[in-house]
Amino acid sequence: RRSRQTSGAPAHALSASGVGALSSDAHMRVRTPFRCSPHPCEYEIAFVSDVEGDLDYFNRWVAGSRCVAYTGSDEAALTLTHARAYFVYGGDVPDHGRGSEQLLRLLVGLKRAFPRRVALLVGNRDLNKLRLTSECAPSDLARPHWSIPAPHWDPSAPTLSQHLEQVAAARGGGATAESCDCAAERLRWMYDNTLGCPATFEARRAELAALRSVGSATGDNGGGGGGGGGAAVSDEEVVAAAVADVMPGGAMSNYLRHACVAAVFGQTLFAHGAVDARTAGYVPDDSTRFCLPAAPQAGRMVDSVSEWVDALNGLLERGLADHAARPEWDAERATRGGEVLLALQNRDAMWGRPRRHRAHRPFQEPSTNLPRTFCDVGLGPSSRTRTRTGGASLLRARRACARRRSQTQRRVPTLPPSPPWPPTRSTRASLRGC
């Protein structure tokens, strides 16, 4: 987890933690880069990312934030504390904790209250939930379990058949893979072996039970778990709630429709991650499939940050509309709605085989492949920038750029130096909300 709150953040700082776009109007339909005042002392940005359903951690972060606070003691809604406050959530809202739905609703409520001062980014754990509407649909459950392969990005992961055989062996009493094959076990297999969150099924059950208990006390059924207050949450209800969250009107669907792939505040680029020399400026084609291609799939390069952010956010909006129109597989099981967004959060689907197996290098080295405009905001070999990222890809790109600094002739505007990052002992004391 990474959280960061800066006062007077320098306009040339760059932050990266995944890849979505910033809605700039009250209805979240015009998706353009938001540029606040260029003067670094006129705004304050609070940043937190990858909470992953841990509502207790998020509450502790809010308690130490100068920009974000709860409106009352019941912790039912968030607000910005002053007129210069901005907030960026870096993506990955759900999964490991027991507060995923509540956190989704809190963030969307804050975005609706301050549409121009709040940016919600989409992460891989947000976008990959679009799979649930097709892979947990009755039509897909009718497919033989042995016909469903392991995830293409992790060939070592157990297949659905292997998972069901393990479940049958654990149950004993003559249980077979066929007798154990149901929607709940398929969802467990997805969580355990394809989404990287083995505790999510039971965490979701616990959250539904808690919401149901609160709903019983207030006369409301709570978070869509169904049934009366105090009743246990069944496996079928957990599956139904997981699918309903992604459908229009659900908590995850609302978050995705208020979120963006990337946002720009001043000259600071925020994204969930994977911003490196290969991906900077690249926009996937709408026809991109969620599969393991033999070569990188179709796409185009753009020459400016603003054009790139606009294009990615437009891609998100079109992908969500496609998913709403086609939430399940087609008759041939060849395609489904929102495939480009599933591919967007999966590097192997975008670029082909994993790096450790890839025999081809379709793009040039970082120092010669970046458009000039990207160098102007701190991605180039001669710029000085502070980075905040959820992965090491950007750091590796910067190191490669630094090694080639003496070889490039590119002229980049001189930028004022950034404070040291990671913070030293002296500067760490001034950072609140971390």
Side-chain angles (χ1 to χ4, degrees), residues 365-427:
E365 291 296 326
S367 62
T368 60
N369 191 52
L370 287 176
R372 179 180 178 84
T373 309
F374 285 98
C375 297
D376 293 346
V377 297
L379 284 177
S382 300
S383 60
R384 291 177 293 180
T385 182
R386 180 176 60 197
T387 62
R388 299 187 293 276
T389 175
S393 58
L394 181 59
L395 181 59
R396 289 195 298 268
R398 289 187 62 219
R399 288 174 176 171
C401 290
R403 287 194 299 267
R404 295 170 177 81
R405 182 173 300 169
S406 61
Q407 302 174 9
T408 182
Q409 300 300 319
R410 184 174 296 157
R411 308 298 296 176
V412 179
T414 302
L415 298 175
S418 302
W421 188 261
T424 62
R425 182 183 299 272
S426 60
T427 59

Side-chain angles (χ1 to χ4, degrees), residues 19 276-285 288 296-304 308-309 311-312 315 344 349-351 363 369 371 374:
V19 178
D276 55 27
R278 170 171 287 183
T279 60
Y282 180 79
V283 181
D285 191 80
T288 301
Q297 301 197 56
R300 61 188 175 91
M301 296 295 294
V302 297
D303 294 331
S304 70
W308 186 46
V309 170
L312 288 177
L315 184 73
L344 186 67
M350 294 300 307
W351 304 105
F363 291 100
N369 191 52
F374 285 98

Side-chain angles (χ1 to χ4, degrees), residues 68-416:
V68 182
Y70 282 105
T71 56
S73 58
D74 57 351
E75 298 183 347
L78 294 168
T79 187
L80 297 181
T81 58
H82 56 85
R84 298 182 297 106
Y86 292 78
F87 174 67
V88 178
Y89 185 81
D92 280 5
V93 182
D95 274 349
H96 293 290
R98 299 186 177 186
S100 297
E101 181 175 338
Q102 301 170 76
L103 183 59
L104 287 166
R105 298 184 186 280
L106 284 171
L107 294 174
V108 170
L110 182 62
K111 173 65 177 178
R112 287 173 172 168
F114 302 94
R116 291 186 58 82
R117 293 162 57 192
V118 172
L120 308 177
L121 304 182
V122 292
N124 54 294
R125 293 191 179 277
D126 310 314
L127 290 175
N128 62 25
K129 301 304 180 292
L130 297 175
R131 293 173 50 195
L132 301 183
T133 57
S134 57
E135 298 182 37
C136 292
S139 58
D140 207 54
L141 295 174
R143 297 175 58 214
H145 60 80
W146 45 261
S147 66
I148 300 178
H152 67 257
W153 57 94
D154 186 9
S156 64
T159 64
L160 176 59
S161 290
Q162 293 171 333
H163 169 80
L164 293 175
E165 290 169 358
Q166 294 173 359
V167 172
R171 290 182 181 179
T176 63
E178 285 71 20
S179 65
C180 296
D181 189 11
C182 61
E185 287 304 331
R186 293 201 180 193
L187 182 58
R188 283 193 178 96
W189 171 74
M190 291 176 63
Y191 283 148
D192 292 359
N193 301 297
T194 75
L195 297 177
C197 47
T200 296
F201 195 96
E202 295 306 320
R204 184 64 173 136
R205 190 200 303 274
E207 182 180 20
L208 290 174
L211 292 174
R212 180 179 296 178
S213 177
V214 173
S216 176
T218 60
D220 183 11
N221 282 335
V233 179
S234 66
D235 286 356
E236 292 74 17
E237 289 173 324
V238 175
V239 176
V243 175
D245 276 350
V246 190
M247 295 298 291
M252 177 55 72
S253 176
N254 287 336
Y255 178 87
L256 293 174
R257 280 164 174 76
H258 287 81
C260 54
V261 177
V264 176
F265 283 75
Q267 288 183 319
T268 303
L269 171 67
F270 291 88
H272 181 70
V275 181
D276 55 27
R278 170 171 287 183
T279 60
Y282 180 79
V283 181
D285 191 80
D286 284 20
S287 62
T288 301
R289 296 285 311 281
F290 183 51
C291 62
L292 184 62
Q297 301 197 56
R300 61 188 175 91
M301 296 295 294
V302 297
D303 294 331
S304 70
V305 174
S306 60
E307 185 181 357
W308 186 46
V309 170
D310 282 344
L312 288 177
N313 292 335
L315 184 73
L316 174 65
E317 189 169 359
R318 294 191 301 275
L320 292 175
D322 184 34
H323 179 268
R326 304 185 299 128
E328 300 183 17
W329 290 104
D330 59 7
E332 293 77 22
R333 203 178 180 277
T335 185
R336 52 186 164 176
E339 284 245 335
V340 64
L341 300 182
L342 295 175
L344 186 67
Q345 56 86 37
N346 186 278
R347 180 177 288 266
D348 293 350
M350 294 300 307
W351 304 105
R353 303 182 66 187
R355 183 181 298 275
R356 61 184 178 275
H357 300 303
R358 189 181 296 125
H360 60 276
R361 300 279 179 158
F363 291 100
Q364 300 176 9
E365 291 296 326
S367 62
T368 60
N369 191 52
L370 287 176
R372 179 180 178 84
T373 309
F374 285 98
C375 297
D376 293 346
V377 297
L379 284 177
S382 300
S383 60
R384 291 177 293 180
T385 182
R386 180 176 60 197
T387 62
R388 299 187 293 276
T389 175
S393 58
L394 181 59
L395 181 59
R396 289 195 298 268
R398 289 187 62 219
R399 288 174 176 171
C401 290
R403 287 194 299 267
R404 295 170 177 81
R405 182 173 300 169
S406 61
Q407 302 174 9
T408 182
Q409 300 300 319
R410 184 174 296 157
R411 308 298 296 176
V412 179
T414 302
L415 298 175

Side-chain angles (χ1 to χ4, degrees), residues 9-11 34-43 45 86 265-267:
F34 184 94
R35 294 188 177 277
C36 59
S37 170
H39 196 286
C41 297
E42 293 184 0
Y43 64 93
I45 299 177
Y86 292 78
F265 283 75
Q267 288 183 319

